Amino acid sequence: MTPLLSVQGLSKRYGAHIGCADVSFDLYPGEVMGIVGESGSGKSTLLNCMAGHLAPDTGQVVFDTRADGPQDTVTMSEPARRMLSRTDWAFVHQHARDGLRMGVSAGGNVGERLMAVGARHYGDIRGKATDWLERVEIDAARVDDRPTTFSGGMQQRLQIARNLVTGPRLVFMDEPTGGLDVSVQARLLDLLRGLVRDMGLSAIIVTHDLAVVRLLADRLMVMKSGHVVEAGLTDQVLDDPQHPYSQLLVSSVLQV
Amino acid sequence: MIELNDVSKTFTLHNQGSAVIEVFNDVSFRVAAGECVALTGASGAGKSTLMRMIYGNYLAQNGEIRIGDVDLVQAAPREVIQLRRDVLGYVSQFLRVVPRVSTLDVVAEPLRMVGVAADQAEIRARALLAQLNIPERLWSLSPTTFSGGEQQRVNIARGFAHNYPAMLLDEPTASLDAANREVVLSLIEDAKARGAAIIGIFHDEAARARVCDREIDVACFVPGVAA
Amino acid sequence: MTDQAYNFAYLDEQTKRMIRRAILKGLAIPGYQVPFASREMPMPYGWGTGGVQVSAAVLTPADTFKVIDQGADDTTNAVSIRTFFERVAAVKTTTVTADATVIQTRHRIPEEPLTEGQILVYQVPIPEPLRFLEPRESETRKMHSLEEYGLMHVKLYEDISRHGHIATSYAYPVNVEGRYVMDPSPIPKFDNPKLNDMAAIQLFGAGREQRIYALPPYTQVVSLDFDDHPFEASKANHCCGLCGSADSYLDEVIVDDAGGRMFVCSDTDYCEARQAAGYKGKDAA
């Protein structure tokens, strides 16, 4: 089986400071991988390098493209990479306003990716947008409202709909539940789990919330100071952590 | 079906003076298809720890734990995930679910994961919940608000939804009344009859005597405690 | 007679050369916005400084110059720009479309089809069609270079969702030769079809934004739309009150304090020519 994403020796430095160092792993279709670590551990740098937002210093990010099989997205042309990022890839930002067009209606936000890949039938675009609003539990009657009138949880769900409408195969998520209150988080996690299963999505989720990875992620990487210190099955890493830092991280969580 | 060879396990507590706790040495046994084996030993002897190792939840330091043709000690995460989805079931003592998901969906999920159609999975889930005497009015609710006994039964229904060839049962009859205990024991007997290899922990001696073919005392694997 | 204090057509020769280079590059890459070093002109931004610089760079002493503002030769803006070039370039001026070799326009394309050898110079306030949805210049440039134009349709989508139809009635975005998406300046969308396959050279100058773009003769220009909401070149559903034309773009004029109104051609030269030829509208005296 070909990995959907194969990361090899990925490193990124900021001058003398290490962003992430020599990260390698394979992600297979349908797998959800969590990346945890404290603030500044390099998990967001790693995510941005993989998603093409940052250029890594060394290493490969090989994606199994539909048309041409495995391709290194670091060295592929920018048009090809940007095409990937609006078709097969999706990126869910921590802050919905980074991932939404706040001056455009909910329907326009969801429809943008469709129009970006050539959809030119208004009725079809609107129909798909409405369908996706319902899938993320937003009342279809809100299709013409701007996201500025939405609550934080709704904005985040709208961002997810906007990302998933083109049927991507790989979703990058940066703290998708950060900044939401607990009940809203639970609803979002439930939604994400359902979408991941129903669409057979692969996902890489960066978070510092261990409860999020336990619910969503099949696999876990623990990062510290730019290095991956431990990787494995999510429940194995959380229940039987081997590395001193992982043990500290797990034991630091308050029991509820 | 389940085979352990020379398995050992230690916990190293890096943040507590790097204390090393040796848990098991040289664990070796096998469980055949259609066989049910009970793990016994005093409280704290390591029954649940061994069970978790056989599920891949705890990491073994040495040896091999084979479920079918997969060695859990060496397997890549995705192989373990696939094994748990298709082959290896685990009924723990505690229900751990996503909030807000209905009981029916919680029970049907293992079937959905192996590709059973939604309506077929729901039929099976309904049958199991009815068999385990969960009132139908609760099926559409999340089990997070249920009583301990109800959660335990939902957990069992979920664990038995898919016909796993290998199953691990951690106290499946604890905190159940006589009628539900009977249902669970018959589920175990059905599983044996269809050829499942089962490892269980039962404090309930009568239950153990009824469904288990033999017992393994985990104390014999603990270093320094000669069997 | 040129005002001797100024070089021909106000700008110095080096500046005109720089602008001509930008124009040539624009003609070579139809629809592409070429940056240029816009000069301070003796008029405020928004009054056509971009168009004036382009006109200054292309005018020769033999040219005949015409200026229209919203189709009219006799409005303040048109009169002052025409007077400006009479003074600094001493070129002949005209109001007759067919007689002009260079026509500077604000917000209209003349009704009479232009011919080979003519140059139409547009005054452009905001050259970037993607600006209102993507404020970052670095990003819009990248979108142009990679032909990522989905956002342009988002704007039209928003129009339909809000108004039930594409309500954009001027500055209606077009695609040039299947490549660049271009803002045709705030001409009414009624004029959009005239952009396509035009025999004259079309030059666009944005002074404040420092951009020049161009359409060489006979360039394919397509207005963006949806399959189920096709582009329509709309106009007021009336005939000209003065010349009776049913095909020209009309201005609505309030004629008294009682709400009385009439529709007249926005293109004054076209209207006058028709009246001179004997056509009469219902409001004609």
Side-chain angles (χ1 to χ4, degrees), chain A residues 7-27:
Chain A
V7 174
Q8 302 299 332
L10 203 67
S11 297
K12 173 76 182 172
R13 302 179 74 95
Y14 301 103
H17 177 72
I18 294 173
C20 62
D22 199 23
V23 177
S24 301
F25 68 90
D26 289 338
L27 186 76

Side-chain angles (χ1 to χ4, degrees), chain C residues 27 48 66 81 126 128 154 175 189 201 241 259 264:
Chain C
L27 285 166
K66 170 182 163 83
I81 291 173
I126 296 167
E128 180 48 72
V154 173
N175 182 283
K189 67 177 172 184
I201 293 174
V264 296

Side-chain angles (χ1 to χ4, degrees), chain A residues 78-79 82-83 86 101 103-105 107-109 112 115-116 119-126 129 143-144 146, chain C residues 133-136 139 142-143 146-151 153-158 160-162 225-229:
Chain A
E78 189 176 11
R82 284 174 70 112
M83 183 51 119
R86 52 177 200 265
R101 293 193 191 278
V104 169
S105 70
N109 264 289
E112 181 178 344
M115 293 182 248
R120 291 293 178 264
H121 190 282
Y122 175 82
D124 290 352
I125 293 164
R126 192 176 171 81
V143 65
D144 294 330
R146 292 187 180 189
Chain C
L133 290 160
E134 177 52 70
R136 291 168 293 180
E139 188 63 19
K142 192 159 275 177
M143 291 159 90
L146 301 180
E147 281 185 79
E148 290 180 3
Y149 290 133
L151 200 51
H153 274 85
V154 173
K155 186 168 183 286
L156 301 179
Y157 172 96
E158 290 292 283
I160 303 172
S161 73
R162 210 163 299 153
D225 61 3
F226 286 103
D227 298 344
D228 49 344
H229 285 267

Side-chain angles (χ1 to χ4, degrees), chain B residues 54-78:
Chain B
I54 300 170
Y55 194 57
N57 180 227
Y58 283 0
L59 204 63
Q61 264 64 36
N62 284 304
E64 52 173 26
I65 301 174
R66 305 196 73 86
I67 314 289
D69 46 11
V70 176
D71 175 12
L72 273 176
V73 180
Q74 303 295 335
R78 69 189 180 94

Side-chain angles (χ1 to χ4, degrees), chain C residues 63-113:
Chain C
D63 273 315
T64 305
F65 190 53
K66 170 182 163 83
V67 187
I68 50 174
D69 175 4
Q70 311 244 24
D73 292 274
D74 54 2
T75 58
T76 314
N77 195 228
V79 170
S80 56
I81 291 173
R82 191 165 61 232
T83 312
F84 174 76
F85 280 108
E86 282 169 354
R87 185 166 164 201
V88 301
V91 288
K92 272 192 296 184
T93 56
T94 182
T95 59
V96 180
T97 300
D99 293 348
T101 52
V102 177
I103 304 171
Q104 181 169 335
T105 177
R106 171 173 177 267
H107 301 191
R108 273 312 310 274
I109 296 175
E111 302 293 355
E112 187 174 332

